[in-house]
């Protein structure tokens, strides 16, 4: 089954989530989660520790199966699709995990080549050339033959991003991309995320609690809250910080000061 063809005038949301319930075994973490993400938006899933941010992300991308509800990507059913249809849809999105999730025994070029080997019929030479190109796009040109142990944490994140970009996905997912990074490296990664969106029209979904990133690059956020087991706010972060009547939202977005913090 071929992946959906993207059309420039297609207004179908990149992601549609309807009444999603997420959990592990009999434990329900999130319920009645509903939202859409328009194409080309930089969309953040935010909230305090233990609110279910990473849980939601894992259920969105198919690493876990929701108890209830449905997810659609680019207008196509995902949670309800058969294995073949879901595999075809996997070509439409990439994922950057917290630590980069690189194979330590492989070079950066070999890591980036993995999805190309899995999902394309390109020749070995074409795969190696494309892997080098993707590394160059994230500022790692010249590091193709380095191993993960030979590069910094920020470079590992960028190498993981290069692998996520290998198939030119329409949607990119990030799980706490700034985790473990110093402020300067984190800002550079944020700038790279915006550049990817602007250059390729990629829809970006970021799980984060980092206010600097939220205020700098998020077009829109949904905020999850542990006791509510779901979404308690949806909107532009600066608007929510200054107009929300929910103390849980203002507490998180203003660090308890009632004002947008200087970051």
């Amino acid at each position: 089954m071929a992946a959906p063809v993207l059309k420039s005038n297609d207004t179908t949301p990149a992601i549609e989530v309807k009444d999603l319930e997420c959990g592990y075994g009999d434990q329900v973490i999130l319920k009645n989660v509903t939202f859409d993400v328009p194409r080309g938006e930089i969309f953040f899933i935010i909230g305090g520790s233990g609110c279910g941010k990473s849980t939601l992300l894992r259920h969105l991308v198919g690493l876990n199966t929701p108890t209830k509800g449905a997810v659609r990507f680019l207008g196509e059913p995902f949670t309800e699709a058969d294995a073949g249809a879901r595999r075809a849809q996997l070509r439409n999105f990439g994922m950057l995990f917290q630590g980069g999730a690189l194979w330590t025994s492989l070079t950066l070029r070999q890591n980036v080549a993995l999805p190309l080997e899995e999902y394309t019929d390109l020749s070995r030479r074409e795969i190696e050339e494309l892997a080098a190109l993707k590394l160059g796009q994230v500022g790692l040109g010249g590091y193709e033959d380095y191993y993960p142990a030979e590069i910094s944490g920020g470079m590992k994140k960028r190498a993981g991003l290069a692998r996520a970009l290998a198939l030119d996905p329409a949607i990119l997912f990030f799980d706490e991309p700034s985790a473990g990074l110093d402020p300067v490296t984190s800002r550079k990664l944020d700038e790279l995320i915006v550049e990817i969106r602007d250059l390729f029209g990629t829809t970006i979904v970021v799980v984060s609690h980092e206010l600097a990133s939220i205020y700098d690059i998020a077009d829109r956020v949904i905020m999850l809250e542990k006791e509510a087991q779901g979404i308690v706010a949806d909107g532009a972060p600066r608007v929510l910080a200054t107009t929300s009547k929910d103390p849980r939202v203002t507490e998180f977005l203003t660090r308890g000061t009632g004002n947008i913090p200087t970051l």
Side-chain angles (χ1 to χ4, degrees):
M1 177 178 177
V5 176
L6 305 186
K7 299 178 181 179
S8 59
N9 62 347
D10 193 340
T11 59
T12 305
I15 305 170
E16 300 168 83
V17 179
K18 179 69 172 177
D19 295 330
L20 207 65
E21 182 175 285
C22 309
Y24 304 101
D26 295 330
Q27 182 182 15
V28 176
I29 306 298
L30 296 165
K31 56 186 179 182
N32 302 321
V33 174
T34 297
F35 62 89
D36 292 347
V37 182
R39 299 183 188 220
E41 186 169 75
I42 298 180
F43 176 85
F44 272 57
I45 300 169
I46 68 172
S49 297
C51 70
K53 300 186 299 295
S54 293
T55 293
L56 176 56
L57 184 63
R58 292 181 62 86
H59 285 74
L60 288 181
V61 301
L63 293 176
N64 293 94
T65 302
T67 310
K68 298 178 183 177
V71 178
R72 298 173 69 91
F73 291 117
L74 306 167
E76 297 292 326
F78 183 71
T79 49
E80 300 170 345
D82 61 33
R86 292 181 68 170
R87 177 178 170 80
Q89 288 194 64
L90 290 176
R91 290 190 53 132
N92 279 324
F93 57 84
M95 177 83 183
L96 177 61
F97 296 94
Q98 283 192 32
L102 300 173
W103 291 93
T104 57
S105 60
L106 302 179
T107 65
L108 302 190
R109 187 200 312 267
Q110 291 169 333
N111 267 280
V112 177
L114 289 173
L116 296 168
E117 294 168 348
E118 179 73 14
Y119 289 100
T120 76
D121 296 322
L122 296 174
S123 68
R124 170 52 51 186
R125 179 178 177 179
E126 290 170 328
I127 287 174
E128 292 183 353
E129 289 177 349
L130 188 52
L133 174 64
K134 295 302 179 182
L135 286 166
Q137 287 179 346
V138 299
L140 290 177
Y143 288 88
E144 294 85 357
D145 297 321
Y146 280 62
Y147 287 88
E150 299 174 318
I151 60 176
S152 69
M155 294 170 76
K156 289 176 184 176
K157 290 286 182 75
R158 283 189 280 153
L161 179 54
R163 185 176 60 193
L165 289 168
L167 296 172
D168 295 323
I171 306 169
L172 273 177
F173 294 93
F174 294 80
D175 189 8
E176 299 283 3
S178 298
L181 301 182
D182 62 83
V184 173
T185 303
S186 178
R187 182 176 292 274
K188 289 181 178 178
L189 182 58
D190 284 346
E191 291 171 352
L192 183 56
I193 290 171
V194 174
E195 181 179 338
I196 289 168
R197 189 277 302 274
D198 291 347
L199 284 175
F200 305 112
T202 311
T203 302
I204 308 289
V205 177
V206 183
V207 166
S208 180
H209 66 275
E210 298 287 347
L211 290 186
S213 295
I214 291 167
Y215 283 121
D216 279 350
I217 69 171
D219 295 319
R220 178 170 146 247
V221 306
I222 56 169
M223 180 174 166
L224 306 180
E225 202 274 328
K226 185 175 182 179
E227 296 302 320
Q229 293 185 303
I231 299 172
V232 294
D234 183 338
R238 292 181 183 275
V239 173
L240 291 175
T242 54
T243 65
S244 176
K245 304 302 183 184
D246 189 326
R248 298 169 297 184
V249 178
T250 53
E251 173 76 19
F252 180 86
L253 287 172
T254 69
R255 290 180 176 166
T257 66
N259 297 301
I260 296 174
T262 301
L263 302 167

